[in-house]
Amino acid sequence: MALVKQIMGSPMTEKSPLLPSNIFKSINHNQNQLCVNPRRSIKTRIPPVKAAISDDLAKFVNAEKAVTFKVRAVLTVRNKNQEDFKETLVKKIDAIADQIGRNVVLVIHSIDIDPKTRAPKRSKESVLKDWSQKSNLKSEKVNYTCDILVGSDFGIPGAISITNKHQKEFYLEGITIEGFACGPVYFPCNSWVQSTNDHPNPRVFFSNQPYLPDQTPAGLKLLREKELRDLRGDGRGVRKLSDRIYDYDVYNDLGNPDRGSEFIRPILGGQKIPYPRRCRTGRLPSDTDILSESRVEKPFPLYVPRDERFEESKQITFSTSRLKAVLHNLLPSMVANISKKHDFKGFSQIESLYSEGVPLKFGLQDDILKKLRFPNIVSSQGGGLLKFDIPKILSKDKFAWLRDDEFARQALAGVNPVNIEKLKVFPPVSQLDPEIYGLQESALKEDHISGYLNGMTVQQAMEENKLFIVDHHDIYLPFLERINALEGRKAYATRTIFFLNPSGTLKPIAIELSLPRALPGSQSKRVVTPPIDATSNWTWLLAKAHVCSNDSGVHQLANHWIRTHATMEPFILSAHRQLSAMHPIYKLLDPHMRYTLETNAIARQNLVNADGVIEQGFTPGRYAMEISAAAYKNWRFDLEGLPADLIRRGMAIPDPSQQHGLKLLIDDYPYASDGLLIWEAIQTWVQTYVTQYYPDPSHVCNDSELQAWYESINVGHADLRHETWWPTLANVNDLTAILTTIIWLASAQHAALNFGQYPYSGYIPNRPPLMRRLIPDETDPEFPAFLEDPQSYFLSALPSILQSTKYMAVVDTLSTHSPDEEYIGQRQQTDTWTGDAKMVEAFYMFSTEIQRIEEEIERRNRDVSLKNRCGAGVLPYELLAPSSQPGVTCRGVPNSVSI
């Protein structure tokens, strides 16, 4: 009985002579880390699965032999809520086959080496015993059990291998093993276990105990190395959807040369057009261009590693959103085919998109719906999918978009608050090569703005930090000649000058509009200033619309796509290729990599591809991705952290006496002031975490996996790998800075740029994604028509009804939180994601700080002195408020780039 009590976990100070002494040393050394903190979370605690210990726990033959006893493994498997007929049939076949030996087999691997065989210790094979009995359960999660025989000298379990002999894959959320003296051992899995029909080798899952490479227990070293080799693959072959291989490739799959010359697009990535790398699929080349990868068109999925695919609730959300897009695209297409007039006839017609739905002529709406036989999801929502939701910009003041102060406020608190800079030189100076683009002198003169500076000269205003600029000149001008040759596209390269009022708000005081020198019959540059009469009022309104159109393109292509989607993919690929799931840095980064590869694959298939949504909906058209490549040339990882970015743009100056170590030039800069709270919380959490595992700088340098991860990032960013600005990775501070920047970009930076798209852009006049007409002057043949009916001219310059509704449907989808969203300060298996109790506790502290930040943001949004986020008709700034409900909410900071 004494032996049984020891095995079941009673006090271990009295060692049994039947058990080897090394087991006690091992258990006592690790038990504080293996047993998690029992303190309950305020909001996010997910209770761990509890398993019963087998009744037949201890059996032994004699005192000279090791005792054999049972431990119990409980596997938590997540069911699909919606199965098609084939899946249901295969599930029933598996239940029958399970009873005759085609089952799920488990083997536990010890952290120790067998002293006799010098091989890692393993348990005998055991099978799940209740799969067939529970196969018909309809609950979301089902716990399956398996009793496994191990010897008393087995040591601590460090890994489990699973062989799935069924025909169907299953999603394994986690495993709990009870029966060992150290207490429960947890194995976070969150992975698909494939059938041996597709992948013959067993899947290996490691316990939640983190190990640096040189601390890996002897019994796990070979498993750790093999798992990473399998994830890297050999760089050959076509990837199957069930594969788990992470590799790099260039963007040679955006075009479709097999459809015709108009669908050919340049390859992005390489010396000619530098670009980040994407996840390799290995698809065969197209028929007409051996360098271009063949296309996989919707609804067929692109390859991403199996565990990167959306979970079911996310897929359902996307399906619903896609249905919305079909409805919003299909019906306007019919209207366009029937109607002779494609433009909006008045602002009331735009507003009718929210009240009456997509306009249909001749009462065809009911007839069309009957013929199309839409799924029940349409009728269950009472036809609501036919209408657009009212964008937030109209919710408090539907005329707010007309005001100059709102136009300026959105540069600080809108969907693209990352382009505004302090004006450092006047007139502004272009950095374009004059030998290629000519001498690009600005048309802005002091006379244009001196009357708006409250008596100051321009130099005085700059010295007192009163002048700011949003400058899109250099990124657009090289492409304008080609853009303006496209049908239905007209654009300028814009610069907008803002003056900081004493109240802390901005006002626009000049807009410079530039055209390429080669464009005949037009002024190459003109400056528009605030209106003084009716005609100049409409000219000013058109100028602001062109600025917003420029800004929409830069926001989507340079800031949103490049800075948070495309540049993050190499970091994620490298993490999976080089960092073991046991590595503490992998455990830290794991929630910040969720869904990003799948999101980017969907973008390559539907959004950024030739004739995709971005090309159809935004000013640059077919040159959109080349503009994103131009932005990538100026991308610098070392300046992507929030403090560095603010200082780079001149929006803050270093000041150790201030909170966060810097002073904002505009105190009421909601994106920056809220963002710095989140940045500091992330930094503190990362610093605490990293210090736990790297108490000495040499540990960072000697961590083979960590250094391989950082070096491999240069494969994913191969075209910039020789740049001298890449941070070094030699100590804890270096690592903290790198990881803080990655987590910031994946979470808060992406949220700030993404989830306000429909709330601000869902009303087209506020933020048109493209413009179709230039601004006429007195010499222009269109000028009389402009004078005669300026409203019609303005509306005809905006996107057409079809273009607008397609764009609105897309940004509605992109702005949507799914029900399974994980927000910053949350993570799956809150108590058991790591076996390090100190880090579980530290994460709870981080989560508490995030909740405090949310309360502070809510307080700021009630502060009437902060006029850029509180006032009559002013929208609160909530894009960095950490939590959110599902749907389009204009708030919420998910952990990762998940949409």
Side-chain angles (χ1 to χ4, degrees), residues 73-79 90-91 93-108 123-135 142-148 160-175 189 191-197 199-205:
V74 177
L75 284 69
T76 303
V77 173
R78 187 182 302 168
N79 277 335
V90 172
K91 187 174 181 180
I93 293 173
D94 281 341
I96 296 171
D98 188 84
Q99 300 178 26
I100 57 175
R102 297 289 299 175
N103 40 32
V104 178
V105 180
L106 274 68
V107 174
I108 303 178
S123 72
K124 294 184 180 298
E125 290 187 351
S126 299
V127 301
L128 292 189
K129 61 183 182 180
D130 49 1
W131 187 280
S132 58
Q133 296 95 309
K134 296 180 178 180
S135 62
V142 179
N143 290 341
Y144 298 96
T145 59
C146 178
D147 288 340
I148 305 172
I160 295 178
S161 58
I162 301 178
T163 303
N164 176 15
K165 297 180 181 179
H166 294 163
Q167 296 186 56
K168 187 173 181 285
E169 66 179 2
F170 62 86
Y171 187 85
L172 183 59
E173 192 170 275
I175 305 171
C189 303
S191 180
W192 291 93
V193 180
Q194 298 297 324
S195 166
T196 52
N197 295 336
H199 295 274
N201 295 327
R203 274 296 309 278
V204 174
F205 297 99

Side-chain angles (χ1 to χ4, degrees), residues 449-461:
I449 64 174
S450 59
Y452 304 99
L453 304 182
N454 291 356
M456 290 183 283
T457 65
V458 172
Q459 187 62 35
Q460 287 174 327

Side-chain angles (χ1 to χ4, degrees), residues 52 99 115 117 127 143 184 255 310 396 413 440 528-529 548 664 769 884:
Q99 300 178 26
T117 64
V127 301
N143 290 341
F310 292 157
K396 298 187 74 173
Q440 292 295 321
V528 182
T529 55
C548 291
L664 293 175
S884 174

Side-chain angles (χ1 to χ4, degrees), residues 633-697:
K633 290 180 181 178
N634 298 319
W635 178 82
R636 287 183 52 168
F637 178 73
D638 64 322
L639 298 180
E640 285 298 286
L642 180 58
D645 178 56
L646 292 170
I647 292 169
R648 166 177 59 177
R649 292 189 281 121
M651 298 302 292
I653 56 174
D655 186 345
S657 68
Q658 297 287 321
Q659 187 182 12
H660 316 299
L662 50 78
K663 176 177 174 53
L664 293 175
L665 268 60
I666 301 177
D667 290 332
D668 185 15
Y669 184 2
Y671 159 77
S673 56
D674 291 359
L676 286 168
L677 294 177
I678 295 179
W679 170 271
E680 188 168 280
I682 294 172
Q683 185 180 52
T684 301
W685 156 235
V686 171
Q687 181 85 40
T688 302
Y689 190 89
V690 166
T691 304
Q692 171 78 354
Y693 300 103
Y694 301 97
D696 185 88

Side-chain angles (χ1 to χ4, degrees), residues 386-560:
L386 296 174
K387 297 179 184 178
F388 289 95
D389 295 329
I390 297 174
K392 199 168 184 180
I393 185 64
L394 300 181
S395 64
K396 298 187 74 173
D397 180 357
K398 71 176 185 178
F399 300 113
W401 69 278
L402 286 166
R403 300 197 316 265
D404 283 357
D405 64 285
E406 176 62 22
F407 171 78
R409 189 193 71 84
Q410 290 182 30
L412 299 172
V415 71
N416 188 39
V418 299
N419 274 109
I420 189 167
E421 303 175 75
K422 175 189 173 183
L423 183 63
K424 301 171 185 175
V425 178
F426 189 87
V429 178
S430 171
Q431 301 301 314
L432 295 174
D433 187 342
E435 293 187 5
I436 300 175
Y437 302 104
L439 188 61
Q440 292 295 321
E441 290 186 357
S442 172
L444 282 161
K445 307 298 181 185
E446 186 158 347
D447 290 346
H448 288 127
I449 64 174
S450 59
Y452 304 99
L453 304 182
N454 291 356
M456 290 183 283
T457 65
V458 172
Q459 187 62 35
Q460 287 174 327
M462 287 195 296
E463 290 175 357
E464 294 188 24
N465 301 323
K466 297 295 185 181
L467 288 176
F468 298 86
I469 185 171
V470 172
D471 190 344
H472 297 318
H473 178 277
D474 285 3
I475 195 166
Y476 269 98
L477 195 82
F479 297 91
L480 276 185
E481 189 172 353
R482 286 174 284 171
I483 290 172
N484 287 330
L486 296 173
E487 182 181 358
R489 305 292 167 99
K490 290 292 181 284
Y492 299 95
T494 67
R495 292 185 176 113
T496 308
I497 307 296
F498 299 93
F499 178 74
L500 180 63
N501 293 312
S503 63
T505 61
L506 293 174
K507 66 178 177 182
I509 58 175
I511 295 172
E512 182 183 37
L513 306 167
S514 297
L515 293 169
R517 56 180 177 175
L519 195 65
S522 298
Q523 296 176 264
S524 62
K525 297 181 187 297
R526 65 186 291 188
V527 175
V528 182
T529 55
I532 56 174
D533 55 33
T535 301
S536 59
N537 180 73
W538 282 102
T539 301
W540 179 247
L541 197 61
L542 281 163
K544 290 196 296 181
H546 274 282
V547 170
C548 291
S549 175
N550 264 201
D551 199 63
S552 291
V554 171
H555 160 258
Q556 198 67 262
L557 299 169
N559 297 329
H560 183 201

Side-chain angles (χ1 to χ4, degrees), residues 687-707:
Q687 181 85 40
T688 302
Y689 190 89
V690 166
T691 304
Q692 171 78 354
Y693 300 103
Y694 301 97
D696 185 88
S698 64
H699 294 167
V700 173
C701 296
N702 295 332
D703 185 334
S704 57
E705 287 184 7
L706 184 71
Q707 293 295 330

Side-chain angles (χ1 to χ4, degrees), residues 189-191 203 206 223-233 243-248 279 303-309 568-583 585-598 705-706 708-710 712-713 742 827 896:
C189 303
N190 300 307
S191 180
R203 274 296 309 278
F206 298 101
L223 289 175
R224 182 172 188 152
E225 294 168 1
K226 182 181 184 305
E227 176 75 357
L228 284 175
R229 284 197 305 271
D230 291 344
L231 290 169
R232 286 193 285 267
D243 285 347
R244 294 172 59 248
I245 296 177
Y246 298 78
D247 206 352
Y248 304 100
C279 184
Y303 168 78
V304 293
R306 182 64 182 98
D307 290 340
E308 306 301 320
R309 299 286 298 277
M568 287 302 298
E569 189 154 346
F571 289 91
I572 294 169
L573 292 171
S574 181
H576 286 287
R577 288 170 61 85
Q578 305 296 344
L579 297 177
S580 166
M582 288 189 282
H583 200 291
I585 301 305
Y586 181 91
K587 292 180 180 296
L588 175 70
L589 290 177
D590 185 36
H592 305 291
M593 303 188 289
R594 186 181 188 223
Y595 291 157
T596 302
L597 297 186
E598 169 85 336
E705 287 184 7
L706 184 71
W709 165 69
Y710 196 55
S712 182
I713 290 167
I742 291 171
R827 63 181 301 158
S896 62

